[in-house]
Amino acid sequence: MEISWKVDLNQRTNNLLLSTIPDKVMFAIARQTLDMSIPIIPMSDKVNHSGTLRRSSGKGESGVHRDGEGYYIGSFTDYASYVYMMDDNTTNWTTPGTHSQWFGRTIRENGKVILENAVNETWKDYF
């Protein structure tokens, strides 16, 4: 028994699939990665305990920024890249549950769920 199925997309649906939806999915991935990373971003530095590093991650347009290549997230302090690369095994974090490489850790541990949620959320908004 053979079953064949042909899908003919109308122009509107085809345009959404090829242009709008991938952009929205990428935004949703960036947004969810940032949101899930916030609790593990180091809160206090040893000097002023201000939480600047964590707060700097949510600045701008909801913390997700766009450039010519797509979207990016970051922690925007002059020392963020130094803290990001610290060794989790040898660093005594001042805030329990925080880690280095917070964005990479989040995507490694939750990437499949983030992608599924982003696709489902975007799809739901259009169809």
Side-chain angles (χ1 to χ4, degrees):
M1 178 176 179
E2 182 178 315
I3 298 174
S4 295
W5 186 22
K6 182 179 179 189
V7 176
D8 289 319
L9 300 175
N10 66 38
Q11 191 61 40
R12 179 178 177 266
T13 302
N14 193 47
N15 288 344
L16 281 170
L17 289 172
L18 296 177
S19 62
T20 306
I21 290 178
D23 183 67
K24 299 294 185 191
V25 168
M26 289 307 297
F27 176 84
I29 289 169
R31 179 75 249 170
Q32 289 179 38
T33 300
L34 175 60
D35 289 347
M36 292 176 80
S37 297
I38 294 293
I40 65 170
I41 296 173
M43 177 75 142
S44 303
D45 59 64
K46 292 181 180 185
V47 177
N48 59 21
H49 305 285
S50 65
T52 303
L53 182 61
R54 186 180 288 182
R55 277 196 319 274
S56 77
S57 303
K59 284 188 176 176
E61 187 178 313
S62 304
V64 177
H65 305 274
R66 185 178 181 83
D67 67 11
E69 306 275 325
Y71 295 98
Y72 66 95
I73 55 178
S75 298
F76 303 99
T77 66
D78 57 347
Y79 57 89
S81 59
Y82 170 76
V83 177
Y84 193 85
M85 296 308 297
M86 293 175 84
D87 185 343
D88 238 5
N89 296 317
T90 60
T91 302
N92 182 17
W93 299 106
T94 56
T95 305
T98 59
H99 299 279
S100 62
Q101 300 184 22
W102 42 92
F103 298 126
R105 181 184 189 103
T106 297
I107 216 65
R108 278 191 310 277
E109 292 178 357
N110 303 292
K112 183 177 180 185
V113 169
I114 289 170
L115 176 59
E116 288 174 0
N117 287 343
V119 168
N120 290 335
E121 175 185 304
T122 303
W123 192 258
K124 179 185 71 173
D125 289 345
Y126 286 95
F127 298 102

